[in-house]
Amino acid sequence: MRFMILIKATKDSEAGVLPNEQLLTEMGKYNEELAKAGVLLAGEGLHPSTKGARVRFSGDKRTVIDGPFAETKELIAGFWLWEVKSKEEAIEWVKRCPNPMYEDSEIEIRQVFSPEDFAPSDPSGELRAAEARLRAQTEKK
């Protein structure tokens, strides 16, 4: 099972405060543990929302909204993509994580859909086969 692990933003992360050497070292060791265990698929920190944008969809209309965005508690400061056996395993890994911020913080765990989850919407399997071909193409890069 794949899970996206979302590190919630804080006022400091939205202000562009970077981690110090100690926190970078602790997170580096943690990421090494994830990689050695075969759990880590991807992971990155994100710039503050001041460097981002949103696109709002309303029918055929698209509206671009430049950051920053007001609700810090709704923003993401970074993410990991993990492959684990269960949500419980993902929770155990998150509990081992160093606090990614200099204050109280929160990490959200969300399961990623797999092609099999869409079987009821794709009884012929054609759409899932096309998705598999697309994934194979992107993995070659």
Side-chain angles (χ1 to χ4, degrees):
M1 302 172 90
R2 290 179 304 150
F3 287 85
M4 180 160 274
I5 312 305
L6 304 166
I7 302 164
K8 298 295 194 102
T10 63
K11 288 179 183 175
D12 278 351
S13 68
E14 274 298 289
V17 175
L18 296 173
N20 62 25
E21 183 178 359
Q22 178 184 345
L23 182 54
L24 284 175
T25 300
E26 290 173 6
M27 290 303 268
K29 288 178 183 177
Y30 180 70
N31 286 333
E32 284 178 29
E33 286 181 52
L34 292 167
K36 286 178 185 175
V39 169
L40 183 62
L41 300 177
E44 300 292 342
L46 302 175
H47 281 275
S49 68
T50 54
K51 295 187 176 187
R54 291 179 176 164
V55 179
R56 178 167 289 136
F57 291 74
S58 180
D60 291 339
K61 186 179 178 186
R62 306 296 184 261
T63 305
V64 176
I65 304 148
D66 289 320
F69 307 118
E71 289 296 320
T72 300
K73 64 183 178 184
E74 301 296 327
L75 299 175
I76 305 301
F79 72 92
W80 286 286
L81 185 61
W82 293 348
E83 179 83 36
V84 293
K85 292 182 177 78
S86 66
K87 180 174 79 173
E88 291 72 26
E89 182 181 356
I91 290 169
E92 289 306 312
W93 274 107
V94 169
K95 287 166 66 176
R96 293 171 54 186
C97 181
N99 184 350
M101 302 294 173
Y102 299 117
E103 57 194 277
D104 289 351
S105 65
E106 191 172 286
I107 295 178
E108 184 174 333
I109 301 167
R110 300 281 301 273
Q111 187 172 350
V112 176
F113 278 108
S114 67
E116 297 78 29
D117 294 324
F118 295 100
S121 300
D122 180 27
S124 71
E126 291 177 31
L127 297 172
R128 285 174 284 144
E131 174 72 16
R133 288 190 298 274
L134 182 61
R135 284 183 185 273
Q137 275 184 331
T138 60
E139 289 172 1
K140 290 179 183 178
K141 293 182 179 183

